[in-house]
Each structure stands twice: as C-alpha cells, then as structure tokens.
Amino acid sequence: MTQRILPHGSWPSPISADDVAHRSGAPNWPAALGDEVFWTESRPAEGGRVTVCRRRLREAGEAATVLPSPWNVRSRVHEYGGQPYTALRGAEGTTLVFSEFSDQRLYRHPPDSDRSPAPLTPEPGVPSAVRYVEPVAGPGGDEVWCLRETRTGPAPTDVARALVAVPLDGSAARDAGAVRVVASGPRFLACPRVSPDGRRLSWIGWDHPNMPWDSTFLYVAEIAADGTASGVRTLAGGDDEAVVQAEWSGETTLYCVTDPSGWWNPHRITLPEPEGGTAPSSAPPEPVNLARREEEFGGPLWQLGQRWLLPLRDGRLATLHGRGALSLGILAPDTGDITDLASPHTEWTAKLAVAGADGRTLVGIAASPDIPAEVVAVSLSDGTWQPLNRASGAAEDDPHRAYFPNPRERRFTGPDGREIHASLYPPRNPDAAAPHGELPPYVVWAHGGPTGRSPMVHDREIAYFTSRGLGVVEVNYGGSTGYGRAYRERLRGNWGVVDVQDCVAVARELGEEGSVDPQRLAIRGGSAGGWTTAAALAFTSVFQCGTILCPIVDLVGWRTGETHDFESQYLETLVGPWPRERERYEQRSPVNHAASVTAPFVLLQGLEDEICPPVQCERFLAGFEGRDVPHAYLTFAGEQHGFRKAESVRAAVQAELSLYAQVFGFETDAAAVALRPHG
C-alpha cells in the first residue's frame, strides 16, 4: 500500500478514542487458591467498576467474571487503595472476601453459588467512613485480618488506622463490637502477615512526615490467646530505610525487602522460637542481605498489598528485580544466585502469587511494548508460560499492531551533567508519512507520584497520538523510582525544580539532535505530573502548550488541608518544613504565577477527587480572568483521581488531541474542544 504524505498529527489512524476508552482497564491484583487463579479487571464501559475474574490453570476457554454488575471491588484506604480482596478455602469451598467501593464495607461471596455477596462489616454512620484493604486469612480459619481506616472527624487528617480481625460468619455486620483490633500504631500500617503456624504476626508501619519510601519499620509480635498482638518488636527499618514488604517462610524465617544500602534488596531474618506471648529479652536478629546488588527488588507503597518477593515451597524465592524495568527471577537465598524466567514480557509489576496444587506456578501481571498488560502464569517445572486473561496469540492478532510505536530507552543529560532516564515513542503509521523535511511535534509526558515511574510498555493511549504523527517521550525525571534511593531523593527540597529541569532538558536535547520540531513541543501530566506540567508552563518557555490533569497547583493549600491524610505532609520532604519555608511554597506554586503562563492549555479534573480537589484548579483559573490565554477546563462528574469511565477517558484524549491540533496547526478527527480566554 502506498503511504499518503500528510503533515504530522493528521495521519489517519484506526486507533480511536473509543479504543482507548474501552481498553483502558488493565488486569490487576492476582491471587490463587491451588489451581484457581483470580484477578481484578476494570470495566470502563460499565461505569469504570472493578470486577473479579477467575480461571483455572490448564483450563481452556475464557476467564469467568465472578462478580456481576454493579459490584465494584475497590478500596479507598489512602484513596489509592490496594489489594481489595482475598480468596479463602473453607467448609463451603472457595470464598471471596472483598471491599465494595460504594460503601467500603467488606463482603463475603462464594463464587460457585447463586447467592449474592453478604456483608461482613457494619454499615458506618457516615457513608464510606470505614474502609478496609489488604485482607489475609486469620490464624484460626474463621476470620479475615486486614487493615482498617476510619474517618473520625471532618478534616482529611481525622483518621485512625488499625489491623483488625473480622469474623467470616457475618456477625460483625450486625454487631460492630465483633470486629477485634489486633494491633495499632503507628499512624500508617501495611503488609499484615500471619506466620504459617498462626503464632506470630508481622506488619510494616510509619509515621508523618515520612512516606513509605522514606522511612518505615518492620514489626513482629506473638499472637496472644485473645487474638491480639503481644510483645511487639522492631526487626528492621529506621531513618532513611524503608521496608516495603515482608513474607513468612516457615515459623521462624521472615524475608523482607528493605534498602539500608540505598537499593531495595531482599533480606532474611531468622527468629527464635515463639515465647508464648512475652517479649523476648534478646536483641532482635540482624537482617541478612541475600542479594547485595545495585538493583531494585522493591518499590514505593503507593498501594497496599504489593508483592515483589514470594517464598516458594522448595526454599527458593520468586523475586522481581532490575534497574528501571523489573524482571521475574528465582533467587537461591543461600548463594544469592538469580535465574531469570524466560518470557517475552519486559515489565513485571509488584503483583505476584503462587498457584498450583504443588505450588510450582507463578502468577503475575506483565507487559512489553508489544504485549498489553496481562495475567501470566509461569511454570517452575518447565519454564513455559501462558496468558490467563486472554486467548493465546490475541496480542499478535491485534489488527492495530502495526500502528503501535517502536519505543526505545534513552538516557539524557540534565543540569550539572546528571543522568535522566526516559522512554521515546516515535510516530509510527504504515499508511502515512510526513512531507520531506517536516519534523514531528512531540509531547513530554511527566508521570505522577512524583515517586513513580513510567514503564515502557504497550499503551493504547500513547499509540493514539503516535499513530497520528505525534511523538511522545516519557521522562523518568529525578525523583522517580527504579534507580536507587539517591536518584529518588534528587527531588528532596527540589520539587518543581528538578522535575521541570529534567523535562526541559529532554525536550531541548531532542530538539538539538534534530529528532523533533522545537517549535512544536507540548507537555502533559496528571497529579504530580500535572504539577510539573503547570510549573513548566509557568516558569519556562520551552513548551507551546500543555495538558494538565487533576493537578496540584497550590502548595500552600495542599499542605494546609486540601488533600488526604496519606500525603498531607509529603511536601515536608519535597519542598521543605512548613511553615518555616512558606515563602518557598508560595514562590514555586503555579497558582501564584498564572500571569507567566502564556501557552494554551487544557485542564481536566474529576469532581470527586479528594487527593487533588477541584478547588486547586478553580484557584488556578482565577488567575486567567480577563487574560487572552486560550484554554479549556473540563470536569468529570463521578470521577476521582484519574478517569475510569469510558466516556471520561474518551473525552479526555479527544480534548488533548484537539489542543495539539489547534496549537500546532494540523487537521484531526478528534472532537474539537473550544479554547477560550477566561472571562
């Protein structure tokens, strides 16, 4: 077929906004009971709800949806949630215990019966004021233990958290007193794990102003006769050390992922035999590093329940590890040797489970530039793998496969010669090419977090733009996870400086090497990436337009009550101590520099966002009153932090493409968004 010669941005593409909207839900949170493998899936076409799916190993056919509409399996603990369900084996067979989004209560559901889910926890006096996450089987088999978050007052920081035991017989749905507090303190809790003999409990905790990638502690306690934690001891963690996961292997061995060396490495802690509920007099054992490498075997606890490491029955450990992208490997704890498992996937997420009656199948979520995120089962017996959430070969049969970009990793040079990691997605379309000599416009994508990372994977939203002739570069700026603590802490005290400088440096270097049109550069990002985008438009002149999604734009407001408890003191490290550094907060906030923003922009915001609330956008827009700066403000009812509904995703990507078409001067098939001066 002869290629059509058309300007960048106007290439005809079969990847529509509907394609992006309806395929934006990736599988998540795998769990297993023998040969039964479960996972969650988002359903954008069903209002963005999350359901649970199931498939048995070696079972032919499609996975079954376990929970029909309108059930929505999603926790709001920390607002970011985490593992929202668990699968248990009881007298009645398989049982799911899950957090229902609409009321945040725990429910019990036997997937092999016709019964509807039944509540396990009481209905709170204030809707969704009591939330649960990361459920695990209790030691006696008649309870589920999980983390509970309770709103205690009107302020976002009026929150109490505890590790609680919930009876599986449903008695707590009628009597709130039936929910027993097992342990509490410090302010934030994560990773509750019961030892195989049911005699010990471990968990992770931290306090303000730390975030869980700054400083956390690993605790262990004996489980007393009354089912509460007794004789609590600290085993690992401390200042500038963050334990992010711990798992039992036998009664006295605890494996944990922590970073005293500046890299999250796997460690082993060998405990003495339990002493019947009394605190032992001996000093806690020292954690032993099992693989001292300048690689990450862990990551930030933005969501609770992540698993980078799992003990196997044969004494080895399944582990995710790498710099940037994570590979799946098997670690021999006595030698530190790691054998990577072969599959075409280049990125594995921190969502591991062990399946199979013999425990010799690993299940995880993986992707590559050619394969969308999928549930993958890998046999430890013969190394073979299979996708569980789709038919084998479905990715290869994608009719749009030729329209996806061929990305590549890049390293750029920032101020003072510092290294910047990024992923480059050049335009690609087999049916079209640009006129000779025309350089492509590029969009710099700044990820959220800011302690996050953009993986280089199959992304239909990116392909929506690159297949039309726009390039995309995702910048893992200083502060990103995946490259060690020192890289992550470049942002300490420098948020709004280092992240912006790194995005600018990447854009400029691409322009200098002749890969992009330096007069047609855009920047976009959501949440913390929305902050970086707004700051780049306010404090630099490199970008001709920007797309700002659910942003932070006013540091003072965000630090003094306009966000949730989890991040309410995050700025203490990102910016500086409050209120001592108030002037710095004010100087860096784009809301106070709207007069410096002259580039057109689109601002997109969920109206139920408690992390970056709409008031931040409204305050920012007030600075454009009476000014001739073209922009659009789109709000989405029923959306929180990020967009889940198909109609919201569709409108957002079309608005973004329409902005670029109007600013860069090309024709587009996207629905036009009106860019008007404010007031």
Side-chain angles (χ1 to χ4, degrees):
M1 181 177 178
T2 303
Q3 285 186 319
R4 298 172 62 187
I5 305 302
L6 295 168
H8 281 289
S10 61
W11 297 353
S13 171
I15 302 174
S16 67
D18 279 339
D19 289 325
V20 176
H22 288 281
R23 301 197 190 188
S24 61
N28 206 350
W29 300 116
L33 275 179
D35 283 348
E36 293 180 279
V37 179
F38 300 86
W39 63 89
T40 61
E41 277 188 10
S42 176
R43 299 289 169 83
E46 298 177 25
R49 81 177 184 98
V50 178
T51 189
V52 176
C53 298
R54 176 177 64 177
R55 183 172 169 184
R56 290 177 173 85
L57 296 176
R58 294 173 292 279
E59 180 183 67
E62 296 184 356
T65 298
V66 173
L67 285 166
S69 179
W71 295 101
N72 191 353
V73 184
R74 183 176 155 210
S75 171
R76 290 186 62 181
V77 170
H78 295 181
E79 290 301 328
Y80 295 112
Q83 176 87 37
Y85 78 101
T86 190
L88 306 172
R89 189 86 74 198
E92 296 181 337
T94 300
T95 296
L96 292 182
V97 175
F98 68 92
S99 173
E100 160 59 32
F101 179 73
S102 63
D103 59 12
Q104 289 298 290
R105 299 169 75 184
L106 283 183
Y107 286 77
R108 177 178 179 174
H109 177 60
D112 295 315
S113 79
D114 295 330
R115 296 198 300 270
S116 296
L120 291 181
T121 54
E123 185 173 358
V126 177
S128 300
V130 184
R131 305 168 178 185
Y132 305 86
V133 75
E134 205 172 353
V136 298
D142 57 351
E143 295 176 326
V144 63
W145 288 20
C146 60
L147 303 175
R148 182 182 69 186
E149 180 179 86
T150 305
R151 296 292 184 94
T152 60
T157 52
D158 293 336
V159 177
R161 299 180 183 87
L163 170 57
V164 299
V166 178
L168 289 171
D169 62 8
S171 58
R174 303 177 296 275
D175 176 14
V179 177
R180 183 179 72 259
V181 173
V182 176
S184 60
R187 188 175 186 90
F188 299 97
L189 305 169
C191 200
R193 299 290 188 269
V194 178
S195 63
D197 61 358
R199 300 173 67 185
R200 279 179 167 143
L201 170 71
S202 64
W203 71 96
I204 293 168
W206 68 96
D207 277 305
H208 279 320
N210 290 306
M211 298 300 288
W213 44 87
D214 294 326
S215 172
T216 68
F217 294 88
L218 173 61
Y219 302 102
V220 68
E222 296 186 27
I223 299 174
D226 63 357
T228 62
S230 175
V232 179
R233 288 195 292 166
T234 302
L235 296 183
D239 293 339
D240 296 321
E241 180 182 348
V243 187
V244 293
Q245 187 194 351
E247 303 289 340
W248 291 95
S249 178
E251 288 71 32
T252 59
T253 300
L254 190 61
Y255 291 108
C256 69
V257 179
T258 186
D259 68 339
S261 68
W263 297 85
W264 276 306
N265 286 176
H267 291 68
R268 179 176 56 211
I269 302 173
T270 304
L271 297 163
E273 290 292 332
E275 300 187 15
T278 59
S281 57
S282 60
E286 287 290 327
V288 176
N289 194 332
L290 302 178
R292 191 176 297 277
R293 300 187 180 194
E294 291 191 348
E295 293 184 13
E296 299 286 37
F297 291 73
L301 280 175
W302 279 106
Q303 292 186 309
L304 302 178
Q306 298 183 88
R307 288 177 168 89
W308 295 266
L309 174 149
L310 282 181
L312 302 173
R313 291 184 186 178
D314 62 8
R316 298 180 298 167
L317 301 172
T319 184
L320 300 177
H321 69 103
R323 282 195 176 206
L326 297 179
S327 301
L328 175 61
I330 304 299
L331 168 65
D334 292 336
T335 64
D337 294 335
I338 299 176
T339 303
D340 285 341
L341 299 176
S343 84
H345 307 92
T346 56
E347 291 266 4
W348 290 77
T349 65
K351 311 288 172 62
L352 291 179
V354 176
D358 58 1
R360 293 191 59 78
T361 300
L362 285 175
V363 178
I365 307 294
S368 78
D370 298 319
I371 304 173
E374 59 184 2
V375 185
V376 181
V378 183
S379 170
L380 297 178
S381 300
D382 58 17
T384 59
W385 67 277
Q386 63 168 324
L388 298 181
N389 64 314
R390 64 172 178 84
S392 181
E396 292 79 3
D397 296 336
D398 187 338
H400 301 157
R401 184 179 178 87
Y403 296 86
F404 274 76
N406 292 318
R408 59 182 185 273
E409 291 184 7
R410 287 286 305 271
R411 294 183 183 181
F412 295 86
T413 303
D416 302 321
R418 65 175 180 252
E419 185 177 70
I420 305 167
H421 297 270
S423 299
L424 194 70
Y425 297 80
R428 184 188 183 205
N429 187 316
D431 304 328
H436 178 71
E438 181 186 319
L439 293 174
Y442 254 75
V443 186
V444 172
W445 284 29
H447 63 69
T451 310
R453 176 180 162 269
S454 294
M456 192 174 71
V457 294
H458 182 283
D459 189 319
R460 198 165 294 269
E461 186 175 11
I462 289 178
Y464 177 78
F465 296 101
T466 57
S467 63
R468 286 166 168 78
L470 286 82
V472 169
V473 58
E474 292 188 304
V475 181
N476 288 312
Y477 48 79
S480 302
T481 295
Y483 312 100
R485 181 178 279 264
Y487 192 91
R488 192 169 68 248
E489 291 186 348
R490 287 181 185 177
L491 217 54
R492 283 201 165 199
N494 287 306
W495 196 35
V497 179
V498 166
D499 49 324
V500 172
Q501 288 176 344
D502 286 1
C503 287
V504 166
V506 169
R508 283 179 171 161
E509 189 169 331
L510 288 172
E512 290 168 358
E513 68 186 31
S515 301
V516 310
D517 183 346
Q519 301 306 312
R520 292 193 295 172
L521 290 169
I523 185 169
R524 69 96 80 171
S527 189
W531 154 269
T532 302
T533 299
L537 296 181
F539 302 119
T540 79
S541 58
V542 173
F543 303 102
Q544 285 73 55
C545 60
T547 301
I548 309 170
L549 301 94
C550 47
I552 303 159
V553 289
D554 180 3
L555 295 178
V556 174
W558 211 69
R559 179 60 182 85
T560 57
E562 287 180 0
T563 192
H564 58 154
D565 183 56
F566 177 63
E567 294 180 86
S568 61
Q569 295 188 30
Y570 192 8
L571 300 185
E572 293 289 298
T573 52
L574 288 178
V575 182
W578 175 267
R580 190 184 73 193
E581 299 292 346
R582 181 182 185 114
E583 184 178 355
R584 184 187 298 174
Y585 281 67
E586 293 174 343
Q587 288 177 345
R588 290 194 190 164
S589 295
V591 72
N592 297 324
H593 298 274
S596 300
V597 177
T598 58
F601 63 89
V602 169
L603 185 58
L604 308 170
Q605 177 69 44
L607 291 179
E608 294 181 5
D609 192 341
E610 293 190 17
I611 298 172
C612 298
V615 66
Q616 290 260 323
C617 289
E618 294 159 7
R619 198 175 296 137
F620 182 61
L621 289 172
F624 293 87
E625 189 75 38
R627 295 183 56 225
D628 188 21
V629 178
H631 65 275
Y633 181 41
L634 279 68
T635 59
F636 299 92
E639 295 284 13
Q640 295 84 46
H641 198 58
F643 310 138
R644 294 174 177 269
K645 299 179 182 180
E647 56 270 29
S648 304
V649 176
R650 181 191 309 114
V653 297
Q654 287 191 330
E656 184 173 354
L657 181 59
S658 177
L659 168 71
Y660 304 148
Q662 293 178 65
V663 173
F664 297 151
F666 58 79
E667 299 292 327
T668 178
D669 58 350
V673 62
L675 299 177
R676 300 188 181 94
H678 194 66

